[in-house]
Amino acid sequence: MADGFCFGEGPRWFEGLLWFSDMLGEAVHTVTLRGALTTLPLPGHAPAGLGFRPDGSLLIVSTERREVLRYDGESVVPLVDLSGLVPADLGDMVVDPQGRAYIGSQAFSGGVIVRVDPDGSAEVVAEDLDFPNGMVITPGGDTLIVAESTGRRLTAFSIAADGSLSERRVFAEGLDGPPDGICLDQQGAVWAAMTLANAFERIEPGGTVTDRIEFDDRVAIACTLGGPNRRTLFMLTATSAYPQRLVGARLARLDATVVDVPGAGLP
């Protein structure tokens, strides 16, 4: 669908467009189903996770600055600085129906998830994670699933009415590769970008892989379900799993395919 950008992350389907971050390109892009690309420049920021609040405003994770930005359709402004709360740079994010944002701090061990509430307050809601990465929230808003990349597992938490996380449990472990970006379908399975396996896999609770899309020499980075009836799987790939090796390159790509089971939950 699109190429010529640096390193795509955090794809989200919203109001008929596929939105994604270009982490090395310091921008957020949108793509139509016909492949038309637009760009929101973010000079000085390395964006990653994206999420939309109920009012339609876009939240953007600035990884190295460890802050969250807000875009209202006209201007980008800082929302909250998380540098005093987190042990490492920020990564992916999911926003719940109440507008609360859950953001991972990607320490290889001792990673955390921070919740940012609509009023801008923030607190750590999960600890001791192995590089928390992609996240989804199930329909009804009662469960959060996070990809622990270096742990090669998907981990689930129950979400309480106040937004706190509890009842930590394994959704799937012993995965084929480190999971990066993820999305959820209506049968409760997770599509995951398996970075070092160069593939996107559909994983059922317990770990059974039902579908696999291989990319040979391209690294799977992130995915989301959107498009008509949420049956289009959008897949971001790169030529390396390590962004620092790709500075100055424009070899990232966005592909899409239609799948059998529609998307569900958030994002």
Side-chain angles (χ1 to χ4, degrees):
M1 289 188 66
D3 58 15
F5 50 94
C6 297
F7 195 88
E9 272 282 11
R12 302 289 184 259
W13 179 257
F14 184 71
E15 293 188 345
L17 295 171
L18 192 280
W19 300 66
F20 66 93
S21 292
D22 187 353
M23 193 162 65
L24 299 179
E26 299 185 348
V28 169
H29 300 295
T30 68
V31 181
T32 68
L33 288 174
R34 295 187 176 183
L37 187 75
T38 66
T39 300
L40 171 67
L42 294 171
H45 294 279
L50 302 178
F52 289 91
R53 282 183 161 176
D55 64 3
S57 61
L58 173 65
L59 301 186
I60 306 166
V61 169
S62 181
T63 59
E64 296 171 355
R65 292 194 178 188
R66 303 184 185 185
E67 63 181 2
V68 180
L69 312 174
R70 180 178 178 271
Y71 174 57
D72 63 3
E74 295 183 0
S75 58
V76 178
V77 297
L79 178 68
V80 59
D81 184 346
L82 300 178
S83 57
L85 280 178
V86 299
D89 289 350
L90 304 178
D92 216 331
M93 169 175 60
V94 65
V95 179
D96 75 5
Q98 289 74 42
R100 300 176 298 209
Y102 294 84
I103 303 155
S105 172
Q106 296 179 325
F108 287 92
S109 61
V112 304
I113 296 174
V114 176
R115 191 190 71 239
V116 176
D117 291 336
D119 64 3
S121 61
E123 66 174 295
V124 173
V125 290
E127 299 178 295
D128 298 322
L129 295 162
D130 297 331
F131 206 90
N133 212 325
M135 285 181 279
V136 298
I137 293 175
T138 58
D142 57 357
T143 302
L144 181 145
I145 302 169
V146 58
E148 292 190 71
S149 293
T150 56
R152 297 200 176 198
R153 74 176 70 90
L154 301 174
T155 298
F157 293 89
S158 296
I159 304 174
D162 63 359
S164 60
L165 301 183
S166 63
E167 299 177 345
R168 178 175 180 168
R169 55 204 181 269
V170 172
F171 180 94
E173 59 186 345
L175 303 181
D176 292 337
D180 194 329
I182 63 174
C183 59
L184 185 73
D185 72 22
Q186 289 184 8
Q187 294 181 356
V190 168
W191 278 98
M194 311 299 285
T195 53
L196 301 184
N198 292 15
F200 294 85
E201 293 184 346
R202 182 178 182 271
I203 305 167
E204 294 181 332
T208 299
V209 175
T210 65
D211 299 85
R212 179 180 172 89
I213 302 171
E214 297 184 356
F215 272 82
D216 297 326
D217 59 346
R218 296 193 67 81
V219 177
I221 302 298
C223 57
T224 198
L225 285 160
N229 303 313
R230 290 190 73 178
R231 289 183 58 229
T232 302
L233 181 67
F234 297 98
M235 299 167 287
L236 287 164
T237 62
T239 54
S240 173
Y242 305 98
Q244 62 270 23
R245 299 179 182 175
L246 299 174
V247 174
R250 293 189 175 273
L251 302 173
R253 199 170 80 194
L254 171 67
D255 288 86
T257 190
V258 175
V259 298
D260 293 331
V261 184
L266 296 166

